[in-house]
Amino acid sequence: MTAMTPEEAVRHVVTTNPTFALHEVDVRGVTFKAFKNIPPNVPGLLAAGWAQHGDGQLEYLAYEDESQTYAEFTSGVNKLAHAMRDELGLGQGDRVAVAMRNYPDLLMSVLAISSIGGIVVFLNAWWTPEELDYALRDSEAKVVFADGPRMERLQPLKEALGLTLVSVRDAKGHGAFDIDALIEGAKAGTAPEVTIDTDDDFAIMYSSGTTGSPKGVVQTHRGAVNAVFSWLMQSVIAPLIDPPEPDAPAALRPSALVVTPLFHVTATHPLFLLSLPAGAKITLMRKWDAAEAVRLMRDNTITRFLGVPTQSAELMQAARAMGETLPAMDYLGAGGAKRPGAQVAQLAETFPNAGVATGWGMTETNALGIGMIGDDYVARPESAGKLHPPVQELRMLDDNGNDVALGELGEITVKSPANMRCYLNKPDATAETLQDGWLRTGDLGVLDADGYVTILDRKKNIIIRGGENIACLDVEGALHRHPDVLEAAAFSVPDARLGEAVGAAVQLKEGALISRDEMARFLEAHIAKFKIPAHLWIQHGALIRGATDKIDRRAICASCLENEEAKV
């Protein structure tokens, strides 16, 4: 077979393969390119994957010593969906929250909620009661599926918010209902008969923004399934661009290890949701451990790894120590944060059979965005890659919304049916971000003549700590709760392991003193542990301000990094 260029391969697939045929659609008054023949909604992905999973007979989901075939998983989803309608009284349009670690129950709950036309509200499993209270009030979710630690944090909120709590795993006996009992007592058979429009809301995922409170990103069914089939198409065009040798062995069944939280798009969309039509097996880790990840990948012929850059670096270190090259792995991706360029060649050397990959996407785009793999990435380790075809469009804009020239700094702005519908209850923020179907991402970069994007900066005051987005104002708001703090500024501090760590400078009342550990203990009641500053600078004079009398974070950060004496 003669190799095609990427552009030729895309044209060939969309014109000859009905699965990836395109058409134009009108969504809320905006015209988009979209896939024509894909499932209309997320529950449709479950049915679309039946044949790819051996008519349901192949093992689909593994967690520690538990295992389910695709048929068993589908049956569990259908039973839970019926129980939600019959026992919990839930129906179309109801918002139902999930708050737990990466359990199989989470995957089952997501699809069951979707199958009755409900809207999944993903709650960050690391949130404090204060943060959970905000998201539940904002989303108006009244039913929450929760495991033990989350159930404990939700108990103080139950009466005030009128919550119905459904216990999962180690929360058994502490909720009004139990997920296992709901499934066991439900009717078997097919999914409930519900008409779900492709433009109905699928999920609300919370993403840190430039305001102190997280934003609820409203994703539609159309957005999620178009993102999934954009990634699925990559596996179809790859052999057209790089044809296998005639005597090459048959490709292994795709199998993914999930190591990042399922309340983030990095895990839910390009791993879990993609696994359904791709015929891939899913293995969940209870807790990240690099050596255990190597063992799982080696012993279970896992082909796909997608984690934050810190995890791929630790996987590499563990594999080297164990003398493993994980020959079955054909995809080693990074999401959530930029991987240090120096690691790219090292990963390619350590895992010679794997295509080392990078990706950029957002909760607001259903994780769809920019990426590259293999030789392209090794040759351009500082780049984010090219726009994933075929439904996306890209512009690089200045502050006034004008296109910038190639090679000039501009804001990455994307248009596709995968873009969010809105920010929940935030019309002004929605209008600022979504303009005529174009999503202004807040990320600044340059586009070259070959279509590669290099991200250089962020307009948003966001710290990306090991893939977790942390709003500076969120940290500052918690710091200001301390009675001795007059003023606070949060900023990112370079970190060799996590990429960025949280730093903060605070002005204290005259005569007040506090250690970093004391401040950390105070903050634990107000923000999740990953948001607590790892580096804290104390002063009694005013923080540096700019010409408009606003706090100058960059100047404060530079001053702090040069002044170790003020660090506590």
Side-chain angles (χ1 to χ4, degrees):
M1 180 190 296
T2 303
M4 299 182 184
T5 66
E7 293 75 18
E8 290 170 341
V10 170
R11 284 195 298 270
H12 176 78
V13 170
V14 299
T15 56
T16 63
N17 187 330
T19 299
F20 302 104
L22 300 176
H23 67 156
E24 288 192 343
V25 295
D26 182 275
V27 182
R28 297 178 294 277
V30 178
T31 300
F32 294 94
K33 291 186 298 182
F35 291 112
K36 183 179 181 180
N37 300 319
I38 62 175
N41 49 52
V42 169
L45 295 173
L46 189 62
W50 186 260
Q52 284 74 19
H53 290 272
D55 289 334
Q57 299 310 301
L58 294 178
E59 182 186 23
Y60 169 62
L61 184 56
Y63 173 73
E64 297 191 328
D65 59 352
E66 302 173 25
S67 176
Q68 295 181 54
T69 66
Y70 198 74
E72 290 168 336
F73 178 76
T74 300
S75 174
V77 169
N78 292 340
K79 288 181 178 181
L80 183 56
H82 281 290
M84 285 181 181
R85 287 209 313 190
D86 299 342
E87 298 297 324
L88 302 182
L90 293 168
Q92 200 145 6
D94 286 332
R95 295 170 181 171
V96 184
V98 290
M100 66 188 81
R101 69 183 316 134
N102 282 8
Y103 285 130
D105 311 68
L106 193 155
L107 305 184
M108 194 174 292
S109 299
V110 167
L111 287 177
I113 295 166
S114 301
S115 295
I116 61 169
I119 302 164
V120 186
V121 179
F122 290 88
L123 299 178
N124 190 311
W126 296 327
W127 275 345
T128 64
E130 194 172 299
E131 292 164 311
L132 290 167
D133 180 70
Y134 169 81
L136 288 168
R137 290 180 187 274
D138 185 56
S139 67
E140 299 181 299
K142 297 300 182 184
V143 175
V144 187
F145 286 76
D147 63 4
R150 268 49 65 177
M151 182 70 75
E152 184 177 347
R153 294 176 211 166
L154 289 165
Q155 290 298 332
L157 311 177
K158 183 173 67 172
E159 296 301 324
L161 299 183
L163 301 178
T164 297
L165 302 178
V166 181
S167 61
V168 176
R169 305 258 167 172
D170 52 355
K172 193 175 183 67
H174 295 281
F177 296 89
D178 176 75
I179 190 170
D180 291 333
L182 287 173
I183 294 171
E184 290 169 7
K187 59 178 72 170
T190 58
E193 293 184 9
V194 181
T195 301
I196 303 170
D197 189 85
T198 191
D199 288 311
D200 285 349
D201 293 344
F202 153 60
I204 299 168
M205 278 189 161
Y206 281 88
S207 176
S208 294
T210 53
T211 58
S213 301
K215 295 174 182 175
V217 178
V218 181
Q219 302 168 341
T220 66
H221 289 271
R222 185 192 297 276
V225 295
N226 270 272
V228 165
F229 275 80
S230 293
W231 296 312
L232 188 63
M233 186 171 145
Q234 304 307 305
S235 64
V236 178
I237 66 174
L240 301 178
I241 298 169
D242 185 17
E245 296 296 328
D247 57 348
L252 295 171
R253 180 192 178 199
S255 178
L257 182 67
V258 177
V259 298
T260 58
L262 282 159
F263 50 77
H264 284 326
V265 287
T266 302
T268 51
H269 290 52
L271 290 179
F272 166 44
L273 294 182
L274 176 58
S275 75
L276 302 172
K281 177 185 171 183
I282 288 288
T283 299
L284 302 178
M285 285 192 76
R286 184 177 187 278
K287 184 178 181 181
W288 170 247
D289 178 276
E292 177 62 15
V294 172
R295 285 190 286 271
L296 282 170
M297 296 184 73
R298 177 195 64 199
D299 297 343
N300 295 279
T301 321
I302 288 172
T303 65
R304 185 177 177 86
F305 181 94
L306 175 59
V308 297
T310 302
Q311 291 171 317
S312 57
E314 292 176 352
L315 184 79
M316 175 174 64
Q317 294 170 357
R320 286 175 171 175
M322 298 165 70
E324 298 288 347
T325 61
L326 302 180
M329 180 170 56
D330 59 25
Y331 179 91
L332 175 56
K338 183 182 181 298
R339 177 187 279 131
Q343 284 183 10
V344 180
Q346 297 170 2
L347 289 165
E349 180 181 357
T350 304
F351 305 112
N353 287 3
V356 182
T358 187
W360 168 94
M362 303 174 69
T363 309
E364 288 87 340
T365 67
N366 277 275
L368 186 61
I370 295 165
M372 60 180 167
I373 188 171
D375 293 341
D376 276 356
Y377 188 24
V378 173
R380 302 171 181 83
E382 299 298 336
S383 176
K386 289 184 175 183
L387 197 70
H388 285 308
V391 300
Q392 294 189 100
E393 299 174 65
L394 171 70
R395 296 173 70 189
M396 308 294 284
L397 302 181
D398 62 19
D399 288 341
N400 296 319
N402 300 313
D403 293 279
V404 302
L406 286 177
E408 290 189 6
L409 187 69
E411 182 177 2
I412 299 170
T413 306
V414 293
K415 179 182 178 182
S416 90
N419 285 351
M420 69 174 183
R421 179 172 69 79
C422 67
Y423 288 122
L424 185 65
N425 303 325
K426 294 185 178 351
D428 291 344
T430 300
E432 181 182 347
T433 302
L434 273 179
Q435 298 164 10
D436 296 323
W438 291 91
L439 190 143
R440 301 199 64 155
T441 68
D443 288 316
L444 301 175
V446 294
L447 174 68
D448 69 18
D450 296 319
Y452 291 91
V453 177
T454 300
I455 299 172
L456 299 176
D457 204 348
R458 293 191 300 276
K459 293 178 74 173
K460 306 171 185 177
N461 292 315
I462 293 289
I463 301 163
I464 303 182
R465 177 193 179 276
E468 283 291 335
N469 285 0
I470 302 168
C472 289
L473 291 183
D474 200 7
V475 178
E476 291 164 6
L479 287 165
H480 277 108
R481 289 175 176 269
H482 194 284
D484 290 333
V485 171
L486 295 176
E487 198 166 47
F491 46 83
S492 69
V493 175
D495 187 278
R497 177 173 174 269
L498 298 168
E500 295 179 352
V502 182
V506 297
Q507 178 191 0
L508 296 182
K509 293 178 180 177
E510 194 61 40
L513 292 173
I514 189 169
S515 69
R516 197 208 73 84
D517 289 343
E518 289 169 336
M519 181 62 82
R521 285 194 291 273
F522 171 82
L523 293 175
E524 283 180 357
H526 303 290
I527 52 176
K529 287 186 178 180
F530 69 88
K531 301 178 185 178
I532 293 173
H535 308 275
L536 185 66
W537 285 264
I538 296 295
Q539 61 189 69
H540 291 92
L543 300 181
I544 300 171
R545 313 185 91 78
T548 59
D549 205 35
K550 292 182 179 179
I551 287 176
D552 189 335
R553 281 193 185 82
R554 291 193 179 189
I556 292 169
C557 176
S559 175
C560 287
L561 293 178
E562 293 175 359
N563 186 11
E564 286 293 315
E565 293 180 2
K567 189 174 177 181
V568 296

